[in-house]
Amino acid sequence: MDYAHILNHLGENRDQYFGAVSPPIVQTSNFAFNSLDSFRASMGNELGTHMYTRGNNPTVQILRKKLAALESAEDCLVFASGSGAIANAVISQVNQGDHIVCVQSAYSWTNKLLKEFLPRFGVSTTFVDGKDLVAMENAIQEHTKVLFLESPTSMHMELQDLPACAEIAKRHGLVSIIDNSYASPYYQRPIEMGIDIVTHSGTKYINGHSDIVCGVVCASHEIISRMFSKEYMTLGGIISPHDASQILRGLRTLPLRMKQSNASAGIICDFLGTHQAVEAVYYPHHPSFVQYELAHKQMSGCGGLFAVQFKTDSRDKMETFFNSLTRFLLAVSWGGHESLVLPAVALYDIPGKENPDMPVGFVRFYIGLEDAEILMEDIKNALADW
Ligand SMILES: *Cc1c(COP(=O)(O)O)cnc(C)c1O
């Protein structure tokens, strides 16, 4: 993949804007035409021309070209959030009476979409263990239209075998969709493995600076142009030209950021994996990971997100640990410059949020762009009494 070309040149027509190196923010809602003929032509081709910013905007279009290329996709659309992107992708593939097969432990709002929202419109979902391909295939019914994957998932980092899942979907005439937020297109490209639609929370690695919420859907021209003229234009969950410009800036450093987080997370997982306070480390490229071989087969790296199960049932002990950390912020989300911790206990005593797979000592770590040694020292100090 020619990242240098994609990130620095693709989609940028600098001679159209005074040779400016950084593309302009085309902050306009609509576009004027100099002849009735060109106006009429645009009416018939809203995706291919510039008429109205809910449809197509030049700043957003540069971003779309780069993101599609990074995912080896023909085209892409950008949305106001990752959840908006996922909802658009799923809704675009189902009608009343249809059925979806989805992996367990997908992102919480994906679950809500499938468990609570879509049933109101007559669309049902069966959830399966994504490691069990037989169960996955057995869950397919006569009206199943979509196979929804998330690999790795973002709490226990469970993987699905993507070429095998793509093959199952093809054999049964289903559209396969994957949430690829964890790996980013830098470390995993599902379309090259036969998956039909790739979604991202662009809020995470794609923007990478914790200052924008956005989402991405990548797919074939056919899928994207249909989605554009139906769900995308109807639901209108677009990003602004200004946000597109910010995301373009973030995207320029995607490889650098991914490599830095990946290298540091590897070092810190190695350290935690041998620490007496730790029961398990969940990081797909860590040698102790149950799906280690599959992870190496389909992901060229992991990035900065992993989870740790500490050996304790004590909420107090965990609280002391979090209070002792000075380099990690207590927060949701991930993919930015700053390192984070998300304790399981933060979800305790809240109706609908508690998860039996996340005991007291379970913590999700995100390793940002800081020096690994500094972060490791901070964790070491916080574990000094264990
Ligand atoms: C954050 C996240 C989402 C949702 O994205 P938003 O941009 O917050 O709407 C979806 N999937 C995964 C795996 C995520 O981490």
Side-chain angles (χ1 to χ4, degrees), residues 26 28 70 78 88 190 354:
V26 184
T28 186
L70 289 173
V78 186
N88 265 264
E354 253 182 77

Side-chain angles (χ1 to χ4, degrees), residues 3-60:
Y3 292 103
H5 170 68
I6 295 169
L7 296 173
N8 297 303
H9 305 295
L10 182 72
E12 307 194 47
N13 296 313
R14 295 188 169 103
D15 50 357
Q16 288 186 4
Y17 35 82
F18 316 105
V21 169
S22 176
I25 303 172
V26 184
Q27 191 71 36
T28 186
S29 57
N30 49 351
F31 299 82
F33 298 88
N34 53 20
S35 76
L36 188 54
D37 274 352
S38 59
F39 196 2
R40 195 184 297 113
S42 186
M43 285 282 184
N45 180 21
E46 213 173 331
L47 180 57
T49 57
H50 294 295
M51 189 170 83
Y52 189 55
T53 282
R54 175 155 43 78
N56 203 2
N57 173 281
T59 312
V60 178

Side-chain angles (χ1 to χ4, degrees), residues 111-150:
N111 264 317
K112 202 142 191 140
L113 171 76
L114 300 176
K115 277 192 182 133
E116 294 177 28
F117 186 91
L118 287 176
R120 287 166 42 202
F121 304 94
V123 176
S124 61
T125 298
T126 302
F127 294 88
V128 296
D129 178 350
K131 297 188 291 301
D132 185 346
L133 294 174
V134 176
M136 186 180 281
E137 190 154 12
N138 286 340
I140 297 170
Q141 307 171 4
E142 190 189 340
H143 295 292
T144 306
K145 292 286 158 60
V146 168
L147 177 61
F148 193 97
L149 311 170
E150 185 181 316

Side-chain angles (χ1 to χ4, degrees), residues 233-350:
M233 287 296 285
T234 307
L235 300 174
I238 62 162
I239 55 163
S240 68
H242 183 264
D243 278 4
S245 159
Q246 293 280 98
I247 300 160
L248 270 171
R249 179 162 73 168
L251 197 63
R252 306 252 192 226
T253 55
L254 178 76
L256 283 173
R257 291 185 284 105
M258 294 310 295
K259 281 188 272 198
Q260 172 73 13
S261 282
N262 185 68
S264 301
I267 292 168
I268 292 168
C269 283
D270 285 345
F271 158 69
L272 285 168
T274 57
H275 197 287
Q276 65 202 22
V278 172
E279 190 169 304
V281 170
Y282 300 93
Y283 188 60
H285 278 195
H286 190 263
S288 70
F289 193 70
V290 266
Q291 296 175 292
Y292 179 79
E293 271 176 38
L294 178 61
H296 273 277
K297 213 164 80 185
Q298 64 189 25
M299 299 164 68
S300 55
C302 289
L305 198 67
F306 62 88
V308 172
Q309 180 64 50
F310 288 101
K311 286 181 192 158
T312 183
D313 297 327
S314 162
R315 283 201 199 192
D316 287 345
K317 202 165 180 179
M318 289 313 296
E319 191 161 342
T320 308
F321 172 70
F322 294 117
N323 290 341
S324 310
L325 291 172
T326 62
R327 301 283 186 162
F328 289 81
L329 302 178
L330 273 174
V332 297
S333 197
W334 44 275
H337 51 88
E338 75 293 6
S339 291
L340 309 169
V341 280
L342 173 61
V345 287
L347 306 171
Y348 280 32
D349 311 325
I350 301 160

Side-chain angles (χ1 to χ4, degrees), residues 81-84 86 107 110 150 154 179 181 201-204 213-214 334:
S81 70
S83 297
I86 291 166
Y107 181 67
T110 302
E150 185 181 316
S154 62
D179 181 338
S181 304
S201 169
T203 314
K204 312 295 162 55
V213 174
C214 67
W334 44 275

